[in-house]
């Protein structure tokens, strides 16, 4: 029997606020939802490492797909029970990630974001959102949650063989441009190209009979071990130069670089390159890309990083950078 209820929000106008004001750019809904899928996957790996999950992890690839009306993000992470949906989805202000990190703070190396508000970014582009989920817990009952952008939702038992979560977005008429292979691909490349769990979008293609056709192999769009998370002792000069060209195609080789791993006063990793400048014409400021646990946040770093660093190029990554806030917050 389906359960109906109202989402626990302090204002019935939460959805217009989400659509217009919570995020400055609607495109980041994909970043938030893929990050959540990675988060759920990392949680399962953590539970397995401490002996609380004894099943087979199997293939942990996160899949992104679309058709003429919907975008779907699927993972094989921890999934949710009906009680957890109530706690983490229906109570918007609650952060499941914070609670999890506190419990497993010695083992959870890369828990991304805050699930509640990040998930609700989906309503910026959707007229309806569905969650089909099955918890990793033994005997878990698969559940389906549905909401059409009002405080009302339905929650009912459903069919789902495998653990994990599918998020299905029914894209609204104003945002149909997101239902496009090139658009989705460019957003995944922008925001998710260095996430620590494989992200698949479509299949790899090969040239056959005068056209490109899909193969059976998943098209993995990300590098789960980017240069800045590797140990400097495992990196060669060529590795550093290759990563620089990856970040800045067609650029001259850098003069030299610094590989950062700082723990105090906050955790910070990254690689900063000193560019080769032949004239003032070549002087490019604000070429640093900012990440949070391998999730792209922004490349507009003026006012975020110290002025003397703005002549450098490269990547800075810190888990202390919140994903679901504006640049004005980062600057405060």
């Amino acid at each position: 029997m389906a359960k109906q209820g109202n989402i626990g929000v302090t204002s019935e106008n939460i959805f217009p606020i989400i659509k217009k004001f919570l995020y400055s750019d609607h495109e980041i809904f994909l970043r938030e939802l893929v990050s959540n899928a990675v988060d759920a996957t990392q949680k399962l790996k953590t539970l397995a490492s401490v002996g609380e999950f004894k099943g087979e992890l199997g293939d942990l690839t996160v899949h992104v797909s679309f058709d003429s009306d919907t975008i779907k993000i699927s993972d094989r992470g921890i999934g949710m029970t009906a009680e957890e949906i109530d706690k983490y989805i229906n109570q918007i202000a609650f952060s499941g990630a914070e609670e999890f990190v506190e419990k497993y703070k010695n083992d959870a190396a890369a828990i991304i974001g805050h699930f509640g508000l990040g998930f609700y970014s989906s309503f910026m582009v959707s007229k309806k959102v569905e969650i089909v989920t099955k918890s990793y817990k033994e005997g878990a009952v698969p559940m389906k949650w549905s909401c059409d952008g009002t405080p009302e939702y339905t929650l009912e038992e459903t069919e789902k063989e495998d653990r994990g979560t599918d998020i299905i977005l029914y894209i609204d008429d104003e945002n149909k441009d997101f239902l496009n292979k090139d658009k989705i691909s460019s957003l995944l490349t922008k925001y998710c190209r260095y996430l620590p769990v494989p992200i698949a979008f479509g299949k790899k293609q090969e040239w056959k009979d005068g056209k490109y056709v899909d193969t059976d192999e998943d098209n993995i769009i990300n590098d789960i071990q980017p240069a800045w998370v590797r140990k400097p002792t495992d990196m060669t000069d060529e590795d550093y130069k290759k990563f620089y060209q990856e970040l800045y195609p067609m650029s001259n080789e850098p003069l030299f670089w610094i590989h950062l791993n700082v723990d105090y006063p906050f955790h910070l990793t990254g690689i900063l390159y000193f560019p080769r400048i032949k004239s003032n014409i070549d002087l490019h400021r604000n070429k640093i890309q900012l990440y949070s646990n391998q999730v792209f946040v922004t490349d507009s770093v003026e006012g975020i990083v110290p002025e003397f660093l703005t002549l450098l190029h490269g990547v800075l990554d810190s888990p202390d950078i919140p994903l679901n806030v504006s640049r004005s917050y980062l600057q405060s």
Side-chain angles (χ1 to χ4, degrees):
M1 180 174 154
K3 171 185 174 181
Q4 291 186 309
N6 283 351
I7 293 162
V9 296
T10 55
S11 165
E12 294 226 346
N13 293 321
I14 188 70
F15 288 100
I17 291 170
I18 287 170
K19 279 181 175 286
K20 292 184 180 179
F21 304 117
L22 181 60
Y23 297 89
S24 59
D25 195 337
H26 284 194
E27 70 180 31
I28 59 84
F29 79 91
L30 195 59
R31 179 192 76 182
E32 295 294 313
L33 296 178
V34 174
S35 296
N36 287 342
V38 169
D39 183 18
T41 306
Q42 297 285 71
K43 286 179 179 179
L44 189 72
K45 290 165 71 175
T46 298
L47 292 172
S49 71
V50 298
E52 290 196 26
F53 173 67
K54 294 181 170 59
E56 291 291 326
L57 289 175
D59 182 11
L60 295 177
T61 302
V62 171
H63 289 266
V64 179
S65 58
F66 76 105
D67 59 27
S68 59
D69 298 303
T70 65
I71 294 175
K72 182 164 80 169
I73 297 95
S74 301
D75 67 67
R76 295 186 67 252
I78 57 171
M80 288 182 286
T81 63
E83 292 75 20
E84 287 166 338
I85 291 173
D86 256 340
K87 190 175 184 180
Y88 300 127
I89 300 298
N90 296 335
Q91 302 299 322
I92 286 180
F94 196 88
S95 170
E98 278 186 356
E99 182 188 56
F100 187 88
V101 168
E102 182 59 32
K103 185 175 180 182
Y104 298 100
K105 56 188 174 185
N106 296 323
D107 301 287
I111 305 303
I112 297 173
H114 302 284
F115 190 85
L117 284 174
F119 163 73
Y120 273 91
S121 67
S122 57
F123 285 95
M124 294 190 301
V125 298
S126 306
K127 57 189 176 186
K128 182 173 77 169
V129 178
E130 292 177 349
I131 303 172
V132 178
T133 185
K134 183 180 181 182
S135 172
Y136 74 96
K137 296 173 183 175
E138 193 172 340
V141 176
M143 301 301 299
K144 179 180 178 181
W145 179 94
S146 182
C147 180
D148 63 359
T150 70
E152 296 180 356
Y153 67 87
T154 60
L155 181 62
E156 59 190 325
E157 293 183 12
T158 189
E159 299 282 327
K160 182 172 171 59
E161 288 189 16
D162 205 1
R163 65 161 197 265
T165 300
D166 300 332
I167 308 288
I168 302 116
L169 312 182
Y170 293 81
I171 304 301
D172 62 33
D173 291 340
E174 294 81 32
N175 291 283
K176 292 292 188 185
D177 57 316
F178 287 110
L179 296 170
N180 177 285
K181 182 179 179 180
D182 291 339
K183 178 77 168 179
I184 295 173
S185 181
S186 68
L187 293 181
L188 291 172
T189 300
K190 178 178 179 179
Y191 290 112
C192 306
R193 70 189 294 195
Y194 298 121
L195 280 172
V197 169
I199 312 297
F201 179 54
K203 299 292 184 180
K204 284 189 175 180
Q205 293 189 320
E206 63 181 13
W207 186 258
K208 191 175 182 180
D209 297 331
K211 60 181 180 180
Y212 283 104
V213 295
D214 287 348
T215 66
D216 293 331
E217 187 179 354
D218 285 338
N219 178 40
I220 304 298
I221 59 92
N222 58 321
D223 176 3
I224 64 173
Q225 278 277 312
W228 77 86
V229 305
R230 295 163 60 186
K231 294 178 181 178
T233 51
D234 295 335
M235 296 280 290
T236 66
D237 285 357
E238 286 308 310
D239 290 331
Y240 285 109
K241 292 174 184 177
K242 181 181 177 183
F243 184 58
Y244 186 77
Q245 289 298 320
E246 193 176 300
L247 293 173
Y248 313 106
M250 310 302 291
S251 296
N252 293 322
E253 283 188 359
L255 288 170
F256 58 96
W257 48 85
I258 301 173
H259 199 141
L260 300 167
N261 194 341
V262 179
D263 282 320
Y264 183 84
F266 51 84
H267 189 56
L268 177 73
T269 57
I271 302 173
L272 291 179
Y273 292 89
F274 290 73
R276 190 179 300 275
I277 300 170
K278 295 180 179 178
S279 69
N280 286 338
I281 298 174
D282 296 329
L283 199 61
H284 296 295
R285 288 182 179 270
N286 301 313
K287 298 281 280 187
I288 294 173
Q289 298 181 14
L290 208 59
Y291 287 76
S292 176
N293 280 329
Q294 296 175 230
V295 183
F296 178 78
V297 178
T298 184
D299 55 8
S300 300
V301 298
E302 185 179 359
I304 300 175
V305 303
E307 176 70 18
F308 69 89
L309 289 179
T310 59
L311 288 175
L312 305 184
H313 299 176
V315 166
L316 293 176
D317 188 336
S318 174
D320 299 310
I321 300 167
L323 292 178
N324 55 348
V325 293
S326 65
R327 287 189 64 242
S328 61
Y329 180 95
L330 292 170
Q331 293 170 328
S332 63

